[in-house]
Amino acid sequence: MSAVPHADLANAIRFLSADAVQKAKSGHPGMPMGMADVATVLFTQFLTFDPAAPRWPDRDRFVLSAGHGSMLLYSLLYLTGYADIDLDQIKSFRQLGARTAGHPEYGHVAGAETTTGPLGQGLANAVGMALAERMTAARFGEAVVNHRTYVIAGDGCLMEGISQEAISLAGHMKLERLIVLWDDNRICIDGDVGLASSDDVPARFQASGWRTLACDGHDPQDITRALTEAQTSDRPTLIACRTIIGKGAPTLQGTAKTHGSPLGDAEIAGARAALGWPHAPFEVPEPVLSAWRTAGARGGVARVAWEDRLASLPGDERATLIRALAGDLPAGWEDAVLAAKRALIETRPKVASRKASQMALEVLVPQIPELVGGSADLTGSNLTQVKGQADILPGSYGGHYIHYGVREHGMGSVMNGLALHGGVIPYGGTFLVFADYMRPAIRMAALMGLRAIYVLTHDSIGLGEDGPTHQPVEHLASLRVIPNLWTFRPADAVETLECWALAVGRNDGPSLLALSRQDLPTLREAYGAENLSAKGAYVVAGEGPRDVTLIATGSEVTIAMAARELLAADGLAAAVVSMPSWELFEAQSAEYREAVLGPRARRVAVEAASAFGWERWVEDKTAVVGMPGFGASGPIGDLYKHFGITAEAVARVAKARAEG
């Protein structure tokens, strides 16, 4: 490719990384220095990308799962010519306002395919990207969708339990275009990996259906050999790259001391001497930089060729692909939702909101081909699959439903990868109580602003006999505090449909639907085109003067309606407010919120969950009828009576407030 020696190309990465960490007095120089040779071969010979068009759809994806080594990525982006990473950004590493944050952040840097840092997340995201590539190719053809996903992962990524969920699913699905480069340096933060692990890592991948290769991570010819072999695999491939962490540091290489701390001026000077890099900090000689820029520009030819192939598609097919990759929804889906909403109000079904969710999907899935569902082995309980929704199977990617197995955390992170890739809108189901298993992935979706939709059923003690291990209590409160996550708890079939419409229509963050196991009556009495759930809360019954306001979510709105009748018998006027989304209600004007809720001292909330957080909407916890602790095993009716979540209890608290 270039007359510039490989060593000089790799050393440019090493010393930009070491110098940036040193200037910041913070960071992780060891991994970039150790993996510089591997990254150089990958970016100059194998990876198809174009810095002039960082997001062109058929580029290869590169995921730095070991996100603490972010300077490896930033150095590569600068060297290959990405416009948003110049030398000033390199010098501003880890400084407030710089694009070069401590860990790569999706949306902040054009070359960051995902936000990494929590170890193992990037690897699992990459599985989703590789799966999305196959699914999109099955839909539109390999002439316009045919790329690979590469990952650099460290020992920490592979120690995290999510890695096993991800590699197991990838192996099962035979994702042959997925290649993981394992930084096999045998060092973790505490010291030698042997302190904590004696795993045979390649054997572990082999057992999960992967092909495994190995190379000397500092021999460019051997790295090239391994990557060349990986291109022909019929399975995902692990390449164990034997490296030395902090390569070149004269007294610290190969030790944990290079992992998470600056090397120091003397050590960097020694590394310069040892590796034959006599240049000043942040200086990259023109021939070296020119060679790197040439390597970066080579992908432009592939991009232009892809654009020609795209242009040759039939017009409708081309427009559909462009629309799907952009995340735009097809015309007509909202009309279908309104028609279904009118039918619900006319027929007034009494169904669990999990069933209402399936009914909503029966409307949305045919209208939005990008919707791809799944469940963590709970399809029949979550009701996440609809008629005609074919399974996605190993080697057969044309369906729209993924059986994730009992892998909630992996499911959440794979969903993030699907969303990041584009062309797919993922939703996935499990029980609400198991949101704890996938919480890191939910948080990352919210941080990145991804359209991922969580269908979390069995949302309260209403699931009954399975008992406290399966009855969510604190989960709604803990999920509502995640920034940029919309948490919905709909009260009936109409609200469930409205919440689904809001979730699919949103393209700047994830949404979560907490859904009941028990049947709920339809409360909405009159059809209107307006999506009332979009306001977060609204008056269901009791417009006009009121003595007290009863605020509820989900299945407890029905209890509040019954309490309203009891209060009316005592001569007290109560308004019932359904609050399917705290987040959307908080976004309304203060005037609207006050009009809906009435005087703070005369508000009562009821929710079969922890009272934590309800002080935002009521005066104090004494105005909340909720769960005092964990649940219990027993029939649903007995449980609600046992814990005092009844119409009588709500009316009693409300009467005290109204008369106080």
Side-chain angles (χ1 to χ4, degrees), residues 11 14-15 17-18 28-37 183-187 218 242-263 267-268 270-272 274-275:
N11 283 337
R14 287 192 175 95
F15 289 101
S17 299
H28 302 74
M31 193 281 272
M33 296 177 75
M35 284 295 281
D37 294 303
D183 181 14
D184 180 17
N185 60 33
R186 301 184 187 175
I187 293 295
H218 299 303
R242 187 71 181 93
T243 63
I244 300 171
I245 191 170
K247 170 73 172 175
T251 69
L252 298 179
Q253 71 171 8
T255 72
K257 292 181 179 179
T258 69
H259 173 84
S261 301
L263 297 179
E267 191 75 8
I268 295 176
R272 280 184 157 83
L275 296 176

Side-chain angles (χ1 to χ4, degrees), residues 550-563:
L550 309 180
I551 314 166
T553 73
S555 49
E556 286 71 68
V557 178
T558 301
I559 292 175
M561 292 289 282

Side-chain angles (χ1 to χ4, degrees), residues 444-502:
M444 295 307 294
L447 182 62
M448 289 188 273
L450 303 181
R451 179 161 51 190
I453 303 169
Y454 312 105
V455 182
L456 304 186
T457 68
H458 297 62
D459 68 345
S460 72
I461 57 171
L463 68 87
E465 290 84 353
D466 276 343
T469 61
H470 283 55
Q471 292 167 1
V473 173
E474 74 278 18
H475 298 76
L476 286 169
S478 70
L479 291 163
R480 284 168 176 155
V481 300
I482 297 177
N484 200 37
L485 172 66
W486 288 358
T487 300
F488 295 108
R489 191 166 185 247
D492 64 3
V494 174
E495 281 193 6
T496 303
L497 178 62
E498 288 183 336
C499 291
W500 258 111
L502 293 166

Side-chain angles (χ1 to χ4, degrees), residues 606 625-626 628 638-650 652:
V606 53
V625 177
D638 294 345
L639 288 172
Y640 271 84
K641 291 176 183 176
H642 175 74
F643 289 107
I645 304 175
T646 63
E648 291 77 11
V650 173
R652 186 167 55 251

Side-chain angles (χ1 to χ4, degrees), residues 133 194 209 230 241 260 364 469 471 602 615:
E133 187 272 344
C241 305
L364 292 167
T469 61
Q471 292 167 1
R602 295 192 175 190
E615 299 94 329

Side-chain angles (χ1 to χ4, degrees), residues 22 67 210 240 354 435 560 569 596:
Q22 187 65 24
W210 288 56
R354 62 171 175 158
V596 168

